[in-house]
Amino acid sequence: MGLFVMPSLGADMEEGTLVEWLVSLGDTVARGDVVAVVETQKGAIEIEVFEAGEVTALEARPGQTLPVGAPLARIGVAEEGDPPPPDPAQPAAPQESPSPTPPEIPPDSPVETPSVPAPEIPVAPPVEAPDAPPPEMPPDAAAPPASPAARVRADKAGLSLASVLGSGPDGAILLADVDRHLEVMAEKPTQPRIDMGEMRKAISAAMVRSKREIPHYYLAHSIDLQPATDWLAETNANRPPDSRLLMGALFLQATVRALAKTPELNGVFTQNRFVPSTAVHAGLVVALRGGGLIAPAIRDAETLRLDALMIAMRDIVARARIGRLRNSELTTGTVTVSSMGETGAGELYGIIYPPQVALVGFGAPRRRPWVMDDAVVPRNAVTVTLAADHRVSDGRRGARLLTEIEHLLMEPATL
Amino acid sequence: MTDDDIRRAFLEDLVSVAPDIDPATVQDSDHLQDDLEIDSMDFLSLIAALHTRFGLPIPEADYSRLATPGAAVTYIAAQLR
């Protein structure tokens, strides 16, 4: 029996509000399935389950605000001989055994979990022990007990009672439960649900922690961007808008490739040691209108060619805007890339997003005087910066990353 | 198709890529990047949506002619003619 709990989506998160169940009692779920939507400081987040099995109890009701670690549902482990199907999103994960700790952490990039002491951050209320007698519904609760009025109301609304949590005796579904469920369904986010005040708090907590704990060092390097600019214009000229590329995709791809040569810059620093990651889960800083930002990770970015990376970027930016990111995208980044975009400041010095150890920043490209073959010529150029954790790497390694990014951007066709 | 139709369609596509913008508050002279904070990714999605709706190629070289809603309506109307 697995316990599906309110996940921690960052050291600053204390609680979340269950918005909606996307599964019903009795449903079979596979590792990586999105099973619920939880409202957090970072908007509504789709929560994936990291265990395969059958949903045997829904412990939380939509609308409930619960501390990190609180049980949300129980998942019966899949039967022998019925192994969970391989998850394409998790190709590098060798562990399939159920884990008592919150299992949404891939083995290659442990992140801070509620079990890690973080004294300066308000600690969530004690978590109910998984062994405590569960207020569980009968295992055969596919057809849960319900009052006649509740049944009629649910029938009329075309609602399956299996998705409703009962508050009556023995978990019986009452009319009020159905009404509440329908209310929440009607409120499904058509508008972004991000609370800017809460988001500011989340950014503040992460950045204060970073500046307090991480000894940053900074490097900057100017790169001739004319070859990439010309290649991009030529490539896009033959493409419909849907498949055009952005310079930001070239920046991200060059960074991901370059990280292969500087493993000290890709991973997480946790429990006083650096854990490198072979996979590059590239956090992409998305600035939100009206202030605030969020840095969801494109997982396994090193496996994506340029066009696929561009598609992944479009997808993740679009979902960041409407508040539909997944918990794994918020908790498993191994590096962050921040781009100013086409206009704005020429240099960007970031603050590392803990527990990561590096942030690569791209300023807005500009035409600048550039020395080529003893002549000064106008070229499009960009300044790339690195903020890195001095506990893990030194300036020489950091410089290696930036010069490698330069080499890659000088030969854009190879990206 | 009148300019008003094009404007309505443009705003519809704008809100589809930037759902947090209230179309009622958008002025014809608003700069998409500076005033409405449309970034390059949003802008590309907007161009893609307009391309699908109007069947226009909208090459990158023309992007500067869609810098504001007013300019974009003028551009689209001219291209459709």
Side-chain angles (χ1 to χ4, degrees):
Chain A
M1 178 74 74
L3 195 63
F4 175 64
V5 302
M6 177 66 72
S8 169
L9 306 175
D12 45 287
M13 175 169 161
E14 293 166 39
E15 58 183 25
T17 302
L18 179 66
V19 175
E20 167 185 19
W21 281 115
L22 301 176
V23 291
S24 305
L25 270 180
D27 281 0
T28 302
V29 295
R31 187 180 151 88
D33 280 355
V34 174
V35 296
V37 178
V38 168
E39 179 78 26
T40 73
Q41 290 173 314
K42 291 163 183 169
I45 304 298
E46 293 187 343
I47 306 296
E48 298 144 290
V49 71
F50 286 82
E51 216 167 341
E54 186 189 321
V55 179
T56 54
L58 299 177
E59 307 262 337
R61 130 190 6 269
Q64 265 189 309
T65 298
L66 296 161
V68 166
L72 297 178
R74 288 175 193 276
I75 313 251
V77 177
E79 286 167 25
E80 286 292 317
D82 184 20
D87 181 355
Q90 303 275 350
Q95 278 181 0
E96 286 295 336
S97 59
S99 155
T101 54
E104 65 268 30
I105 301 150
D108 55 353
S109 61
V111 296
E112 188 157 299
T113 70
S115 64
V116 175
E120 74 283 7
I121 291 163
V123 177
V127 174
E128 182 185 310
D131 296 333
E136 214 176 313
M137 295 187 194
D140 60 341
S147 76
R151 268 183 210 290
V152 170
R153 178 69 51 92
D155 271 359
K156 273 194 182 154
L159 176 71
S160 160
L161 282 174
S163 61
V164 180
L165 188 68
S167 64
D170 295 329
I173 297 166
L174 308 178
L175 182 60
D177 298 323
V178 175
D179 283 343
R180 201 176 301 113
H181 192 91
L182 291 171
E183 231 168 76
V184 171
M185 281 174 68
E187 276 172 19
K188 264 188 203 162
T190 50
Q191 289 292 311
R193 304 169 57 97
I194 296 165
D195 177 331
M196 286 304 165
E198 288 299 307
M199 170 162 281
R200 186 46 54 192
K201 273 197 236 165
I203 294 169
S204 167
M207 296 299 97
V208 166
R209 176 183 159 201
S210 176
K211 278 284 177 171
R212 188 174 46 227
E213 293 178 4
I214 303 177
H216 288 63
Y217 69 88
Y218 292 92
L219 300 174
H221 188 52
S222 289
I223 295 174
D224 177 7
L225 201 58
Q226 199 63 50
T229 307
D230 294 344
W231 179 85
L232 191 63
E234 204 178 301
T235 303
N236 283 344
N238 301 317
R239 294 178 172 211
D242 254 340
S243 48
R244 282 176 200 162
L245 299 167
L246 288 176
M247 185 59 85
L250 273 67
F251 289 161
L252 186 60
Q253 181 72 306
T255 304
V256 169
R257 291 277 185 87
L259 282 167
K261 303 215 167 161
T262 50
E264 305 92 327
L265 298 171
N266 183 53
V268 292
F269 192 91
T270 179
Q271 293 171 320
N272 286 319
R273 69 189 186 100
F274 174 60
V275 183
S277 172
T278 47
V280 181
H281 303 315
L284 186 68
V285 177
V286 180
L288 301 174
R289 259 176 292 282
L293 47 78
I294 195 159
I298 296 175
R299 291 182 52 84
D300 303 304
E302 83 285 1
T303 64
L304 302 177
R305 296 302 308 260
L306 189 55
D307 282 308
L309 189 66
M310 178 70 196
I311 291 167
M313 284 172 72
R314 279 181 74 160
D315 169 58
I316 216 162
V317 170
R319 287 190 291 110
R321 294 243 184 278
I322 58 168
R324 269 298 165 122
L325 293 166
R326 294 183 180 169
N327 56 329
S328 61
E329 293 168 335
L330 288 180
T331 54
T332 60
T334 58
V335 68
T336 298
V337 175
S338 184
S339 295
M340 188 55 71
E342 281 157 20
T343 57
E347 296 173 16
L348 181 166
Y349 295 89
I351 299 176
I352 298 166
Y353 185 38
Q356 296 168 23
V357 298
L359 182 147
V360 177
F362 289 89
R366 294 228 177 100
R367 270 169 76 78
R368 295 183 206 169
W370 199 264
V371 177
M372 289 183 81
D373 300 330
D374 289 338
V376 178
V377 291
R379 302 282 279 182
N380 207 26
V382 67
T383 298
V384 56
T385 62
L386 170 72
D389 187 336
H390 225 324
R391 294 172 298 185
V392 180
S393 68
D394 306 310
R396 185 183 288 271
R397 296 301 291 164
R400 177 81 203 278
L401 178 81
L402 297 187
T403 53
E404 186 61 24
I405 290 173
E406 177 181 27
H407 293 150
L408 291 163
L409 285 175
M410 291 296 279
E411 294 183 14
T414 65
L415 283 175
Chain B
M1 191 176 250
T2 67
D3 280 9
D4 274 352
D5 295 335
I6 296 173
R7 186 174 196 277
R8 207 170 302 119
F10 177 87
L11 287 179
E12 214 176 286
D13 288 344
L14 178 67
V15 171
S16 78
V17 301
D20 44 349
I21 289 180
D22 177 0
T25 65
V26 175
Q27 306 288 313
D28 275 353
S29 60
D30 281 349
H31 196 276
L32 292 180
Q33 281 182 322
D34 298 340
D35 296 323
L36 300 178
E37 298 184 50
I38 294 290
D39 66 11
S40 47
M41 183 70 78
D42 293 336
F43 187 76
L44 180 58
S45 299
L46 173 62
I47 296 292
L50 294 170
H51 165 78
T52 305
R53 183 191 288 267
F54 293 107
L56 298 171
I58 320 183
E60 280 189 327
D62 287 355
Y63 281 5
S64 61
R65 297 172 66 185
L66 296 98
T68 66
V73 171
T74 306
Y75 170 83
I76 293 166
Q79 298 294 310
L80 288 174
R81 237 165 252 136

